[in-house]
Amino acid sequence: MTEPEPLQQVDRTYVRWKRRRLSYFGGCDYLRLASHPAVLRALRSGAKEYGLNVAASRLTTGNHTLYAVLERALAGFFGAESALVVPTGYVTNLVVAQALARSFSHALIDERSHLSLLDAAAALECPVLRFKHRDPADARRAVQRCGTGARLILLTDGMFSHDGSVAPLKEYLKCLPRDALLLVDDAHGAGVLGRRGRGTIEHAEVGRERVVQTITLSKAFGVYGGAVLGPVSVRRKMIERSRIFLGGTPLPLPLVSAALQALALVAQAKGKMQQALARNAEIVKNGLRTAGFVVPDYPGPIVAIAPPNARAALQLKRILLAAAIHPPFITYHGGPKNGYFRFVISSEHTPAQLRGLLDALRRWRGIPGPLPQSPRGTVSPRAEPGA
């Protein structure tokens, strides 16, 4: 894989690339909190008050009251029994797996799960069965193959980052035994989905009794670090058994301070950030449907476009750059093999930026004329189902 050229974010929705200021529809900073002034102030004040690094494991001399403050805030916001903060979002699933290793007879995993879940499944030290992507019927067949009396854990992303689709959590819980556990990597759903931004669990309207939810603070919350949300019993086992937690240096305190501020901003908005995000995403999706694109009806603010060949991909790159839009072409696990354009809509993109993106994609499709506008200035939808 070729290392991509560096980008510098210069505003909340722009980047500087090769001396050009371009609209940015990449990354996963869905609410653009990474550049929010209040979050940056909290980061600076945290560095001034606490220093940069505790320089020791939390189980030796590196614990600090601020970690407990953030954990209580996270548990309260997400409605979870407990929370445990860990250094990165990627290791959340590994921390859970190390804590629960040898507790299950089988692990079931969505075939397109994030790489961190694949690593976690291996760390559970039990046979792993893959089931078809977002397919409850195939998950049920996997459950049946494990036999009666099997002790099961099912691993899945909550919102899948490659296209914004979500896992059918309610259906999975129905097909699992009553003593089974569901591990949901909600890195992309947390702060994005649900009326209050509690993630895929809130979106799917399922309870937490049999669910462990792992999140990152580096996407919708714009900071860094990860957290595991679940029963107190699981938290206790993570502290006792996870080698990552036992031997690792925790999140730097300035980042904890910034995460607390970001979480407070989302909580205080009472769902308004998620509403703005959903509105912007629908403007783009409906505009693309009007232009003849087939856009799945997924709740995530992601539009994935896979050009049919390299020539078409190059043409779209050129059109985007001519429109002063950074071309977010990526090759990543879970997405199309030959790469694709992953457009991430944020709550902070302006109407002009959204229109610019739609105009560029329309030109790529060779559709003449301006985009039709509704009275409210949004792209008019077409009564055409996505697929």
Side-chain angles (χ1 to χ4, degrees), residues 3-151:
E3 183 177 353
E5 294 189 43
L7 299 174
Q8 179 189 355
Q9 296 197 28
V10 292
D11 287 302
R12 298 186 74 187
T13 56
Y14 292 90
V15 291
R16 191 166 302 285
W17 179 76
K18 293 185 176 180
R19 299 183 180 180
R20 293 189 63 192
R21 184 173 179 267
L22 305 174
S23 287
Y24 186 53
F25 291 93
C28 305
D29 186 11
Y30 298 108
L31 306 178
R32 291 304 193 261
L33 292 178
S35 52
H36 193 287
V39 175
L40 297 179
R41 284 195 299 270
L43 179 72
R44 289 191 291 267
S45 64
K48 183 176 180 180
E49 183 172 356
Y50 305 115
L52 179 60
N53 187 1
V54 296
S57 165
R58 283 180 67 179
L59 295 185
T60 56
T61 59
N63 208 3
H64 192 281
T65 56
L66 207 60
Y67 295 120
V69 173
L70 178 56
E71 287 168 351
R72 286 195 297 269
L74 286 166
F77 176 80
F78 284 95
E81 191 175 314
S82 73
L84 185 70
V85 172
V86 297
T88 74
Y90 192 98
V91 303
T92 53
N93 299 312
L94 283 167
V95 169
V96 174
Q98 289 179 349
L100 301 180
R102 298 179 297 281
S103 298
F104 305 100
S105 64
H106 301 81
L108 315 179
I109 187 168
D110 186 295
E111 64 183 358
R112 296 179 73 175
S113 288
H114 189 265
L115 297 171
S116 64
L117 280 175
L118 297 178
D119 288 344
L124 285 166
E125 299 183 26
C126 65
V128 179
L129 283 72
R130 297 195 182 196
F131 59 88
K132 294 178 182 177
H133 180 50
R134 299 175 58 242
D135 189 335
D138 200 47
R140 185 182 295 276
R141 287 190 286 270
V143 170
Q144 293 169 349
R145 289 200 300 274
C146 295
T148 58
R151 304 184 313 281

Side-chain angles (χ1 to χ4, degrees), residues 29 32-35 39 217-224 262:
D29 186 11
R32 291 304 193 261
L33 292 178
S35 52
V39 175
L217 299 170
S218 66
K219 293 182 172 34
F221 297 101
V223 188
Y224 199 73

